[in-house]
């Protein structure tokens, strides 16, 4: 088993700042995150394309699922395979904002007022056959909550790492330039 490598403090700070900026756009302002919203749209459409051979109900749902699953999968890759702390926390926070973006789409199902790039409203199609349009707000709340949990988890990882890093420095035997000797 590989021994964990200490994460540089600058990565912890950068990760925390990135989480705050992403969260500010998505959860405070309620707007799309610049640039990432375009990536979300691309992965959303890719989800439809990759599942086109399945029943329409699956294809419609996979757009929103894929736009969240791709950054979440990238976070897992960066954390587990690469040991890249900054990349992992950024992608986990991105997955959270992608979920927020998807929750807005889900909540719009009863009204269908969002501007789409073409085709029908995926979530209106999902809820329609079951006469469940009134459940859109509940489902959107769950998706939004999951997104907020991902973003806060990424932030907690960064802040927890900062606490551990600063705590270990305070207990370091080399404090204030004086070495601690065994004598």
């Amino acid at each position: 088993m590989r021994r964990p490598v200490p994460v540089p403090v600058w990565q912890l700070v950068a990760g925390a700042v990135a989480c705050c900026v992403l969260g500010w756009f998505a959860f405070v302002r309620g707007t799309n995150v610049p640039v990432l919203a375009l990536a979300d749209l691309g992965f959303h459409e890719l989800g439809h394309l990759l599942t086109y051979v399945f029943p329409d109900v699956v294809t419609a749902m996979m757009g929103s699922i894929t736009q969240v699953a791709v950054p979440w999968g990238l976070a897992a890759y960066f954390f587990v395979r690469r040991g890249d702390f900054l990349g992992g926390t950024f992608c986990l926070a991105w997955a959270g904002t992608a979920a927020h973006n998807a929750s807005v789409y889900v909540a719009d199902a009863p009204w269908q007022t969002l501007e789409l790039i073409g085709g029908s409203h995926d979530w209106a199609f999902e809820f329609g056959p079951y006469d469940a349009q009134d459940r859109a707000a509940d489902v959107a709340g769950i998706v939004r909550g999951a997104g907020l949990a991902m973003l806060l988890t990424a932030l907690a990882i960064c802040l927890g790492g900062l606490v551990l890093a600063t705590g270990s420095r305070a207990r370091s035997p080399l404090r204030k330039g004086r070495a601690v000797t065994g004598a």
Side-chain angles (χ1 to χ4, degrees):
M1 182 172 191
R2 203 168 43 163
R3 205 168 168 206
V5 177
V7 179
V9 171
W10 75 265
Q11 284 188 8
L12 298 167
V13 172
V17 168
C19 289
C20 290
V21 169
L22 294 177
W24 181 75
F25 275 105
F27 293 96
V28 176
R29 288 189 61 204
T31 61
N32 288 331
V33 178
V35 180
L36 290 182
L38 297 173
D40 290 344
L41 176 62
F43 289 127
H44 180 102
E45 295 305 322
L46 179 65
H48 293 315
L49 180 67
L50 294 176
T51 59
Y52 188 69
V53 297
F54 296 107
D56 290 343
V57 74
V58 172
T59 301
M61 205 180 312
M62 286 308 293
S64 295
I65 291 171
T66 304
Q67 87 180 50
V68 177
V70 168
W72 194 89
L74 287 170
Y77 167 77
F78 282 119
F79 278 131
V80 176
R81 298 290 295 171
R82 299 283 311 239
D84 182 346
F85 191 84
L86 183 58
T89 55
F90 177 82
C91 288
L92 186 58
W94 171 21
T97 65
H100 179 271
N101 188 318
S103 77
V104 171
Y105 190 30
V106 172
D108 183 60
W111 300 278
Q112 301 179 46
T113 57
L114 289 177
E115 187 177 333
L116 305 177
I117 61 171
S120 62
H121 195 292
D122 299 334
W123 287 97
F125 175 78
E126 288 293 333
F127 293 129
Y130 309 105
D131 197 27
Q133 297 288 348
D134 60 328
R135 305 300 294 174
D138 296 333
V139 174
I142 292 167
V143 174
R144 185 178 192 278
L148 185 58
M150 286 183 254
L151 181 97
L152 291 176
T153 299
L155 181 59
I157 290 169
C158 293
L159 295 178
L162 275 171
V163 167
L164 292 174
T166 56
S168 67
R169 284 197 176 88
R171 291 186 304 272
S172 173
L174 296 173
R175 289 195 356 218
K176 298 186 180 180
R178 288 179 262 147
V180 177
T181 63

